[in-house]
Amino acid sequence: QVLLVESGGASVQAGGSLRLSCAASGVTESNYCLAWFRQAPGKDLEWVGNRDSEARASTYYGPSVKGRFTISRDYVDNTLTLILQMHAVAPGDTGMYYCAARGPGPCPGLWSQSRHYQHWGQGTQVIVSS
């Protein structure tokens, strides 16, 4: 059973940094893609980026975050954890951030549509003030 639990959301001033985590139990790196999405108040869900399931685990980013945000993974207490490191945040980065997983099954490359992901976390709130 896949369970995704996000954490790390907070209020931060523009220009600052924030690190979000997603504990992904029931997920193996070689058989799942993992992604971050976000939703600003009154707006549609937006793909932030994903990490694919290939051995070299490439990462892909949406245009609004490329160069500022980095997706990586770690193991915390033997649990695969997806990290979103956010730098130079701006008020436009405000929103609920969700972790999502596609699988089981290999998924190389970029997957930017929410309908491609079968498993979702409950979200963590990020507020950026100017």
Side-chain angles (χ1 to χ4, degrees):
Q1 181 180 356
V2 174
L3 180 64
L4 306 175
V5 180
E6 303 94 334
S7 62
S11 294
V12 61
Q13 288 199 328
S17 298
L18 197 61
R19 176 182 163 110
L20 305 184
S21 297
C22 170
S25 55
V27 169
T28 55
E29 289 186 78
S30 61
N31 223 18
Y32 285 83
C33 287
L34 292 170
W36 287 99
F37 285 80
R38 67 184 183 184
Q39 188 166 28
K43 295 191 176 180
D44 293 335
L45 200 61
E46 177 189 7
W47 173 72
V48 173
N50 75 268
R51 177 183 170 92
D52 72 16
S53 64
E54 296 299 275
R56 295 178 63 184
S58 297
T59 50
Y60 305 85
Y61 299 94
S64 63
V65 306
K66 195 170 184 178
R68 299 188 299 123
F69 291 9
T70 302
I71 293 173
S72 62
R73 73 98 176 96
D74 197 358
Y75 280 87
V76 179
D77 296 331
N78 292 320
T79 299
L80 176 63
T81 300
L82 188 70
I83 306 294
L84 179 66
Q85 182 66 56
M86 307 164 64
H87 293 297
V89 297
D93 295 319
T94 292
M96 187 71 79
Y97 282 70
Y98 298 94
C99 177
R102 172 183 169 84
C107 46
L110 185 157
W111 298 87
S112 64
Q113 301 297 313
S114 59
R115 60 184 174 85
H116 292 148
Y117 294 85
Q118 294 83 15
H119 311 282
W120 292 82
Q122 82 290 347
T124 188
Q125 182 73 48
V126 172
I127 298 173
V128 182
S129 57
S130 57

